[in-house]
Amino acid sequence: MSASASGRSPETTPDQRILEHACDHLRRFGPKRTTILDIAEAAGMSHANVYRYFPSKLALFDAVTEQWLKALESQLRVIKEGPDPAYDKLERALSAIQKTYRAKLEADPALFDLLCDAIAKNRVVARKHRNKMQGEIQAIVEEGINSGSFRLADRRRAMALVFDLAHRFIQPISIALDRSIPTPDLDFRASRAFAAIQRSLVYGDPDFDL
């Protein structure tokens, strides 16, 4: 069968092919019923060959998680490096996180749940993603402080304010717990929280004791 007939690009590498079939099996059967043997059979290779690229089923699942998070991490980087004022960048970055997670939860719950599991168990893939996300947000906050856009000039307090007030809307496990709330309602509540964060940073809040 040709590459075009199989729906696969001729440039697809073995590890990419494994990830594609892993995603398909996870969506259809969930993590407990997904096996390396089934993925290998679907990819047209031996299970030993799968282990050449991914040493365990958990490592493969984490690679699946890492793969879909790359687009969000890239989006945050573009926002951070853009020409907009820091307060606009911050709102766009927080909204991107909230909307991306919520969309993934709705469209691809099996893969979103893998991220939640990685966070709950403090696995490397979750820590790396959290560090990247926090790093981009911190860079935006520091830009706002350095430019004078943010009156709340204490970096530690500013970061604590952002993540404390935004937590419900940008933490995957919290988002999963809110899955029964209609998306428009959650988007509205998130936008109010992000606006409150912007106001506190731009105008300062001397009575806000962290």
Side-chain angles (χ1 to χ4, degrees):
M1 181 182 293
S2 68
S4 59
S6 66
R8 203 164 54 230
S9 166
E11 291 80 21
T12 300
T13 60
D15 58 325
Q16 290 172 329
R17 196 158 76 248
I18 292 167
L19 286 171
E20 288 172 5
H21 287 290
C23 288
D24 178 59
H25 277 68
L26 283 162
R27 291 175 180 125
R28 292 166 59 195
F29 307 116
K32 290 185 178 179
R33 294 173 55 204
T34 295
T35 68
I36 293 293
L37 192 61
D38 288 340
I39 292 169
E41 183 178 352
M45 61 179 70
S46 70
H47 70 282
N49 200 39
V50 174
Y51 285 121
R52 286 180 54 203
Y53 296 95
F54 305 99
S56 67
K57 187 166 82 167
L58 186 60
L60 176 55
F61 288 178
D62 283 349
V64 167
T65 300
E66 184 178 37
Q67 183 182 54
W68 74 259
L69 288 172
K70 285 180 180 177
L72 172 58
E73 293 167 359
S74 177
Q75 185 180 4
L76 293 179
R77 186 164 57 251
V78 169
I79 291 171
K80 177 199 68 178
E81 294 172 355
D84 314 66
Y87 56 86
D88 282 344
K89 289 183 182 181
L90 183 60
E91 189 277 333
R92 288 177 59 205
L94 294 174
S95 293
I97 296 168
Q98 183 256 329
K99 291 181 183 298
T100 298
Y101 285 159
R102 177 70 185 209
K104 193 69 174 178
L105 171 65
E106 293 182 343
D108 224 347
L111 300 195
F112 186 81
D113 287 345
L114 286 183
L115 172 61
C116 292
D117 184 67
I119 292 170
K121 295 174 181 173
N122 198 32
R123 294 206 298 275
V124 172
V125 65
R127 295 200 303 271
K128 284 184 176 180
H129 175 63
R130 181 175 62 243
N131 289 341
K132 288 178 182 178
M133 182 185 73
Q134 291 180 347
E136 304 295 8
I137 296 297
Q138 181 173 340
I140 293 171
V141 170
E142 289 181 346
E143 178 186 328
I145 292 172
N146 293 336
S147 67
S149 298
F150 295 162
R151 288 182 58 189
L152 183 55
D154 185 304
R155 286 164 173 76
R156 182 191 65 79
R157 288 166 62 90
M159 288 296 292
L161 184 145
V162 171
F163 285 105
D164 285 350
L165 297 187
H167 179 87
R168 178 177 184 177
F169 305 103
I170 65 171
Q171 213 285 346
I173 294 177
S174 296
I175 289 172
L177 291 173
D178 281 340
R179 70 178 73 207
S180 63
I181 299 176
T183 296
D185 293 349
L186 204 62
D187 286 349
F188 174 70
R189 290 159 73 170
S191 68
R192 287 195 306 175
F194 301 156
I197 292 169
Q198 287 174 295
R199 286 195 300 271
S200 295
L201 292 173
V202 170
Y203 298 110
D205 190 353
D207 297 324
F208 193 93
D209 185 6
L210 298 176

